Amino acid sequence: MITYWHYPKCSKSRAGLALIEARGAEVQTRAYLEDAPSVEELSAVQAALGVSAVEMMRTGEKVFKELGLSKDSAEADLLAAMAAHPILIERPIAIRDGKAVIGRPTEAIEALL
């Protein structure tokens, strides 16, 4: 089962979901903007991705700058910001069996299929 943090208005997110479905994999979508992950969930996904917190963020979002965040901000601050403002989470993220990928490019999801 793939857990898929999905934003239906995002073309990359829709493309990733279509890829998963086309490959016949079981998928459970999570509308993460409405059902924001906790700091603990974000930390677990960060570990599964094997990246720094800022690497799983949309740093170009207006709220990133409004919060005074930077690429040098503390990991805890970045994780807390994503939990409070899930629009900051890069999308889409696919998670399976303790591994995760950011679906940019969409083909990155193939690593979980």
Side-chain angles (χ1 to χ4, degrees):
M1 171 73 68
I2 293 176
T3 300
Y4 193 70
W5 291 4
H6 182 48
Y7 180 52
K9 292 182 181 179
C10 172
S11 63
K12 291 286 187 190
S13 193
R14 290 192 309 269
L17 183 58
L19 174 66
I20 293 168
E21 291 173 340
R23 294 287 297 274
E26 288 186 59
V27 62
Q28 177 181 359
T29 61
R30 178 177 183 170
Y32 71 94
L33 291 180
E34 289 83 40
D35 181 16
S38 67
V39 170
E40 293 78 17
E41 288 175 297
L42 287 162
S43 183
V45 168
Q46 177 191 8
L49 287 167
V51 299
S52 65
V54 76
E55 290 176 285
M56 61 185 284
M57 296 184 80
R58 299 176 59 83
T59 58
E61 289 290 334
K62 184 179 171 185
V63 70
F64 186 85
K65 291 175 183 52
E66 289 174 349
L67 293 171
L69 299 172
S70 75
K71 293 182 181 190
D72 297 322
S73 294
E75 293 282 299
D77 293 341
L78 295 171
L79 291 168
M82 285 187 279
H85 305 276
I87 192 72
L88 291 172
I89 302 168
E90 186 60 88
R91 60 183 177 255
I93 295 179
I95 308 150
R96 183 183 209 176
D97 298 329
K99 296 178 184 167
V101 296
I102 295 172
R104 288 180 180 267
T106 302
E107 294 77 26
I109 295 169
E110 299 227 9
L112 300 181
L113 298 173

